[in-house]
Amino acid sequence: MRNIHFEVGYEIKYAKLSLSSITIYRGLLEDEVILALRDFFAFICQSEVQVESTINSYNRFFFLLVNKGYCSLKDYIIDGIIFSENPFSKGAENRNLSESENPIKSAAANDLQSLRHIATFDFSSIKEVLLNYFQEDEFKDIIEKLPELKNINNFKEQDYDSHIKNLKEKFYCSDNWSECIEELQKFHEDYGCGMFVRYRAFIWEHIDGKGRFKGIEKPDPISLSDLVAYERERFIIIENTLQFLKGFPANNVLIHGDRGTGKSSTVKAILNKYYKEGLRMIELPKSYLKDFADIIRVLRARTQKFIIFIDDLVFEDNESSYTALKSILEGGLENKSQNVLIYATSNRRHLVKEYFNERGVFPSSNFSEEVHGGDSVQEKLSLADRFGINVVFVSPDKNKYLQIVDGIAKNRNLKIDVETLHKEALKWERWYNGRSARTARQFVDWIEGHQRTEDYKI
């Protein structure tokens, strides 16, 4: 396609300049969607435009936006504002914006109005400008087919908490976003900023050798009402969690016991119950326990309460992460923070594997063995004691297993007589994994699917 001499109108030039004028929210300019938008404006504002490059640039911007799950640039930018981590949002979270004429707050208010101009930009005008120059061109039908963005207010259907939806609605209904600065400041004071507002659950991962938080878009939705039996065990953990959320002293918790009894599910369900009260959860793989101090440095300045969740915890002998956890639980200055607790699950009460020769059960002529081996044994056994609370989940007996089956079936409104349900449940546990809460759930999954399949055939 040929180059043309091009003259863009005021609106396009103003939109381009609005992006360049952003100060406090400058981090948004590094976002890949906004970067693509800037590239597009740069292409179209040149005095000589190569149409193929311009169309390609626009389509790249459109693709990146919809690929992130948005059909509205306005919706995308409002989310960018609400979840941004910048001097204004961090200052509000830490309540450091007390001055009424704070320069950071004033600059942020100006940015909001600039971002509104971008968010409400009429992209159909781009198509009109291009068609004015290419009315007789053989490729004008390509320009006519360029997808257009609509400012659809579909945020109410999205899975946001009410306080986020309320703030988004204020932006959607405002013609002057700078006037939303007070509501935005109050939001950050109450709920914090950045990814810890956007997500409730995270996993600590390593990318190119560096640790980082990765927000989980759709964490396990299990709720406490889904879990049947083990009420006494859960009560202990819930009570400790509520103390923690209220700012009272609370303990690290080790949940151990038989497999499939609902240890991990309990921790996840507690998050789903209390995340609206500021609870967040970070799953920390055992291999990254040495990063704990780095994690704490980030979390201690936050308004939320964090549970570090270590699942299926067990150590081999002399494993370095064992020493790291021991140090964490002993609570050195680097590892102490009032807004962080550790909840760990394990199938073992003794978290470090121990061998018979360590207890002197068998005599040994190996002179390389430790003289005071008993001290090492005691140290290994004491690791679990460093958790303030130990909760034990044991495999259910027959009656408790059937109670769990009954509870899950009732929660799912299954229409099946109790005698048949129990008979099939007992056959299932014999054929498969033995009695456990997990086995009960797997059985009900099977019988529900079987029942629906038969109904479908009818």
Side-chain angles (χ1 to χ4, degrees):
M1 289 185 180
R2 58 190 174 85
N3 291 0
I4 60 167
H5 290 285
F6 204 71
E7 183 62 36
V8 297
Y10 169 80
E11 283 295 318
I12 297 174
K13 289 180 179 178
Y14 193 89
K16 180 175 180 291
L17 185 60
S18 294
L19 277 173
S20 299
S21 69
I22 290 171
T23 54
I24 300 300
Y25 286 87
R26 203 154 189 84
L28 293 180
L29 301 183
E30 303 304 315
D31 175 86
E32 64 176 348
V33 173
I34 305 302
L35 271 175
L37 180 60
R38 292 188 78 189
D39 289 343
F40 170 68
F41 282 144
F43 268 115
I44 205 166
C45 286
Q46 296 177 92
S47 59
E48 192 171 86
V49 172
Q50 211 284 328
V51 179
E52 183 177 1
S53 298
T54 304
I55 290 175
N56 182 63
S57 177
Y58 176 80
N59 283 326
R60 180 174 179 273
F61 154 69
F62 186 91
F63 167 78
L64 290 172
L65 181 66
V66 298
N67 195 49
K68 294 225 175 181
Y70 291 82
C71 293
S72 163
L73 180 61
K74 186 176 185 180
D75 197 23
Y76 188 78
I77 288 178
I78 292 174
D79 275 2
I81 291 169
I82 291 174
F83 302 125
S84 175
E85 194 164 320
N86 57 61
F88 168 73
S89 61
K90 289 192 286 188
E93 179 178 12
N94 296 315
R95 300 179 183 271
N96 293 330
L97 298 173
S98 55
E99 300 175 27
S100 58
E101 296 299 322
N102 189 293
I104 294 176
K105 184 175 178 178
S106 298
N110 291 334
D111 282 358
L112 294 181
Q113 193 58 12
S114 295
L115 287 166
R116 182 192 179 277
H117 188 83
I118 303 300
T120 57
F121 182 80
D122 182 8
F123 282 90
S124 64
S125 64
I126 299 289
K127 186 184 293 188
E128 291 174 9
V129 169
L130 289 172
L131 285 172
N132 283 338
Y133 282 86
F134 290 92
Q135 285 184 357
E136 307 302 326
D137 196 283
E138 57 183 315
F139 299 115
K140 75 170 188 177
D141 63 314
I142 295 176
I143 299 170
E144 290 173 342
K145 292 177 182 177
L146 284 175
E148 291 184 22
L149 290 169
K150 305 294 184 183
N151 288 325
I152 304 169
N153 300 351
N154 61 351
F155 69 94
K156 291 183 179 179
E157 284 71 47
Q158 295 170 342
D159 187 22
Y160 289 121
D161 295 330
S162 58
H163 59 280
I164 295 176
K165 285 186 176 181
N166 291 339
L167 183 59
K168 291 191 73 164
E169 188 161 17
K170 288 183 185 298
F171 276 95
Y172 267 108
C173 297
S174 174
D175 293 328
N176 185 351
W177 284 7
S178 63
E179 295 176 352
C180 298
I181 194 70
E182 298 297 337
E183 288 90 348
L184 188 58
Q185 179 177 339
K186 182 70 166 55
F187 175 87
H188 292 313
E189 288 174 353
D190 292 343
Y191 302 104
C193 67
M195 60 182 166
F196 297 117
V197 175
R198 184 164 201 158
Y199 303 106
R200 73 182 76 165
F202 304 81
I203 187 166
W204 181 259
E205 63 178 11
H206 275 208
I207 300 294
D208 298 327
K210 293 183 179 180
R212 69 162 197 175
F213 297 99
K214 179 185 177 183
I216 300 173
E217 290 281 354
K218 294 184 178 180
D220 188 337
I222 191 165
S223 68
L224 288 171
S225 61
D226 295 329
L227 303 175
V228 182
Y230 300 98
E231 288 85 1
R232 184 184 63 82
E233 292 85 349
R234 288 196 188 92
F235 175 79
I236 297 170
I237 305 167
I238 291 169
E239 185 180 49
N240 187 68
T241 305
L242 289 174
Q243 289 177 202
F244 178 52
L245 289 173
K246 292 174 182 176
F248 303 149
N251 283 285
N252 298 318
V253 179
L254 173 63
I255 310 165
H256 61 89
D258 298 318
R259 60 190 174 89
T261 48
K263 302 182 295 294
S264 300
S265 295
T266 294
V267 179
K268 295 172 186 175
I270 285 173
L271 170 66
N272 292 330
K273 174 71 173 178
Y274 297 111
Y275 76 93
K276 290 183 179 179
E277 297 178 31
L279 184 63
R280 300 291 183 269
M281 187 168 291
I282 297 155
E283 185 172 350
L284 177 62
K286 181 186 68 171
S287 56
Y288 297 149
L289 279 169
K290 62 183 183 299
D291 296 342
F292 193 83
D294 296 330
I295 295 171
I296 287 292
R297 291 187 198 110
V298 175
L299 301 185
R300 63 161 43 104
R302 299 291 178 167
T303 60
Q304 297 90 352
K305 303 286 187 179
F306 296 91
I307 289 175
I308 307 293
F309 177 41
I310 310 170
D311 202 15
D312 291 328
L313 185 62
V314 65
F315 296 104
E316 297 293 337
D317 196 23
N318 297 321
E319 195 171 341
S320 61
S321 51
Y322 156 71
T323 305
L325 180 59
K326 181 171 172 284
S327 173
I328 292 164
L329 294 172
E330 286 174 344
L333 291 176
E334 183 78 310
N335 294 325
K336 270 283 189 182
S337 182
Q338 296 300 312
N339 66 335
V340 177
L341 285 181
I342 298 172
Y343 283 14
T345 66
S346 178
N347 292 338
R348 302 166 56 99
R349 166 68 172 82
H350 303 309
L351 299 177
V352 186
K353 290 183 179 178
E354 184 190 0
Y355 301 93
F356 281 114
N357 65 332
E358 293 179 307
R359 293 203 172 192
V361 175
F362 302 110
S364 174
S365 59
N366 185 351
F367 291 99
S368 65
E369 288 185 3
E370 186 178 357
V371 174
H372 300 290
D375 292 345
S376 294
V377 172
Q378 290 304 312
E379 181 185 16
K380 289 181 177 183
L381 296 180
S382 71
L383 181 59
D385 297 335
R386 286 183 165 88
F387 289 87
I389 293 176
N390 274 233
V391 182
V392 185
F393 281 63
V394 297
S395 291
D397 59 18
K398 176 182 174 182
N399 290 335
K400 192 170 186 177
Y401 169 69
L402 292 176
Q403 175 194 345
I404 296 170
V405 169
D406 289 342
I408 298 172
K410 181 180 179 181
N411 288 343
R412 299 193 190 180
N413 296 314
L414 293 188
K415 306 300 181 185
I416 184 170
D417 66 275
V418 175
E419 184 179 348
T420 301
L421 184 69
H422 287 186
K423 179 182 175 182
E424 294 299 324
L426 292 173
K427 282 198 292 186
W428 183 274
E429 62 95 359
R430 287 196 299 270
W431 290 344
Y432 294 100
N433 301 314
R435 292 179 198 144
S436 72
R438 179 188 297 149
T439 301
R441 177 180 53 78
Q442 291 168 342
F443 162 70
V444 177
D445 287 343
W446 170 78
I447 203 164
E448 181 181 10
H450 181 74
Q451 195 176 67
R452 290 190 178 186
T453 300
E454 293 301 312
D455 292 343
Y456 179 77
K457 288 178 182 177
I458 296 172

